Amino acid sequence: MHLSRRADRLAESATGRAARKAAELRAAGRTIIDWSAGQPDFASPEVAVEAARRALAEGFTRYTAAAGTPDLRRALAAHYAERHGAPWTIDQVMVTVGGKAALFELMMTLIDEGDSAVIPSPCWVTFPEQVRFAGGRPILVPTAAADGFAIHAQPVIDAIEPETRLVLLNSPCNPTGGIIAARDLRRIVEHCAERGIVVLSDETYERFLFDGREHASAGALAAEFPDTVVVVGSFSKTYAMTGWRIGFALASAPLIAKVTAVQSHATSNATSFAMRGAEAALTGADDDVERMLAAFARRRDLLVRGLERLPGVSCPKPAGAFYAFPHVAECYRPGRQGSLEFAEALLEDAGVAIVPGLAFGADDHVRISFACSSEELEAGLERLAEALRP
Ligand code: GLU
């Protein structure tokens, strides 16, 4: 069978793979602690479920406009205006099949063969793959554990080359929890605006910052730099709605029109009744979000405390998102050399599913999602302690 070159060099997403293997072992009867995919264990907000149910009962089951329902797009514009002072109106908003599709379609719209995209690293497994899929070249800019993987402006700016079409930021960051300060974000956006480069800001974890930290949204700079700032977001993590597959993009009207044209040939609209549910979540589920944030903060503390006690493991407290990204290279030994073997061994021997750091560009680390119950965290820590006993 002939495969396209672009598909041929693509492997299954490492996060998806880890979650799939955990599910397979569970189905085979093993008790697995699943710390793999980033997926809140909370139920979707009742208001969202009710609104979607109502939409189905009313027969709201047909195609909508490719860019999504006007109501949800208007609600998203209002939400960004209120939270971040962003100037976007309905024709600058589109709804997508999860944040992943928004990113994919933006890459396909902005990147030509031979172009490059600058991405702070470690980064989410899907970013470099999508850039390559579009024919581009990811340029990874290291961030460091020593300062909590904070994203600094200067190294990002220094990495930009004449072929660079976009800078892809993700704060809080999956997998590190690192964040960008407002002044660094402004410097990057200012610099990119001068050079005609897009700043694509994936703000999927924007509601999950800990210890009173505030999220710096690129949306706050959109009025000043309308052609530079693009924001992508998702209902998946914020509202525990992963399976609903609702994400969105906010950008200039001409760019949104073009990405919508791409979407019209890819997925058409996102699911009609799921958009009704998303709209209800956006306007009526703030308490659910606050509850989740408080739970994630407690779980983060529990997990990091437990990890720090393990010999050879060091783990700074992540500033945001719901992942710990411990340094575990001191625990490597024959049969567990590197994060791939280490993760494999943990799953086989201890029944704990994690994602190898290599998938995010950091082989000395592994990623642990703490979007699971405290009981699971405690049980996983016990298994980890046992598996790492010399
Ligand atoms: N974004 C989540 C993660 O990193 C879900 C899986 C995926 O889409 O990668 O685990």
Side-chain angles (χ1 to χ4, degrees):
M1 179 181 39
H2 171 80
L3 295 175
S4 71
R5 275 194 298 276
R6 101 174 55 82
D8 201 26
R9 43 166 190 62
L10 195 77
E12 180 186 8
S13 157
T15 50
R17 181 169 186 272
R20 179 175 57 76
K21 289 182 86 177
E24 281 168 8
L25 286 175
R26 254 187 199 159
R30 294 257 322 255
T31 319
I32 299 294
I33 303 289
D34 189 0
W35 284 347
S36 61
Q39 151 146 274
D41 56 326
F42 297 94
S44 301
E46 190 48 41
V47 285
V49 174
E50 198 39 54
R53 197 181 276 139
R54 224 173 18 248
L56 271 172
E58 285 167 6
F60 190 64
T61 53
R62 305 234 160 113
Y63 292 130
T64 71
T69 60
D71 286 347
L72 179 55
R73 292 162 71 202
R74 237 188 314 271
L76 281 162
H79 185 78
Y80 272 81
E82 191 189 323
R83 278 182 65 77
H84 304 301
W88 289 306
T89 51
I90 182 167
D91 56 342
Q92 295 163 312
V93 184
M94 68 184 288
V95 183
T96 58
V97 183
K100 213 177 237 178
L103 291 163
F104 189 80
E105 291 161 2
L106 277 156
M107 304 284 185
M108 298 310 269
T109 306
L110 293 167
I111 292 177
D112 267 325
E113 205 69 38
D115 290 344
S116 67
V118 170
I119 313 173
S121 170
C123 65
W124 183 38
V125 292
T126 291
F127 292 152
E129 291 305 346
Q130 289 191 343
V131 170
R132 285 192 203 100
F133 202 83
R137 209 166 15 91
I139 300 177
L140 301 178
V141 180
T143 57
D147 67 355
F149 298 99
I151 300 165
H152 298 290
Q154 198 56 48
V156 169
I157 289 170
D158 290 345
I160 293 173
E161 49 178 39
E163 293 79 21
T164 301
R165 294 286 167 260
L166 59 92
V167 169
L168 177 43
L169 302 175
N170 176 217
S171 169
C173 169
N174 170 8
T176 65
I179 56 176
I180 191 165
R183 63 176 181 285
D184 285 279
L185 181 58
R186 169 170 279 282
R187 273 197 66 205
I188 293 172
V189 170
E190 275 173 355
H191 183 89
C192 288
E194 268 168 34
R195 298 175 67 166
I197 296 167
V198 162
V199 175
L200 175 46
S201 183
D202 175 353
E203 304 188 4
T204 291
Y205 299 93
E206 70 154 317
R207 299 297 293 273
F208 302 130
L209 274 79
F210 304 116
D211 309 320
R213 291 180 179 89
E214 291 207 353
H215 172 61
S217 173
L221 301 171
E224 251 180 290
F225 305 99
D227 296 328
T228 306
V229 171
V230 178
V231 169
V232 164
S234 165
F235 285 81
S236 296
K237 321 289 184 187
T238 309
Y239 300 104
M241 291 170 66
T242 47
W244 297 58
R245 309 310 303 133
I246 300 290
F248 51 87
L250 304 118
S252 69
L255 181 55
I256 289 297
K258 203 35 110 177
V259 183
T260 301
V262 172
Q263 173 153 292
S264 77
H265 293 291
T267 63
S268 298
N269 58 275
T271 304
S272 55
F273 48 89
M275 284 192 271
R276 282 273 178 88
E279 191 191 329
L282 193 66
T283 50
D286 245 30
D287 290 351
D288 301 62
V289 179
E290 290 305 321
R291 250 196 312 279
M292 282 200 286
L293 173 62
F296 290 150
R298 282 194 302 275
R299 294 167 182 188
R300 175 196 67 159
D301 292 349
L302 188 162
L303 176 63
V304 169
R305 213 179 311 125
L307 289 172
E308 282 283 350
R309 276 199 212 112
L310 299 173
V313 177
S314 69
C315 186
K317 272 190 182 179
F322 42 62
Y323 306 104
F325 200 57
H327 186 278
V328 293
E330 313 284 308
C331 306
Y332 294 165
R333 54 177 190 262
R336 287 184 188 178
Q337 214 54 264
S339 61
L340 288 174
E341 279 186 8
F342 183 80
E344 196 79 31
L346 265 191
L347 184 59
E348 293 300 329
D349 305 344
V352 178
I354 54 176
V355 187
L358 186 64
F360 307 96
D363 199 24
D364 290 347
H365 294 252
V366 292
R367 191 192 77 173
I368 298 175
S369 163
F370 50 86
C372 60
S373 69
S374 302
E375 291 73 34
E376 274 176 297
L377 290 175
E378 269 157 11
L381 281 165
E382 264 172 43
R383 290 186 187 199
L384 209 55
E386 185 60 35
L388 296 182
R389 212 180 293 284

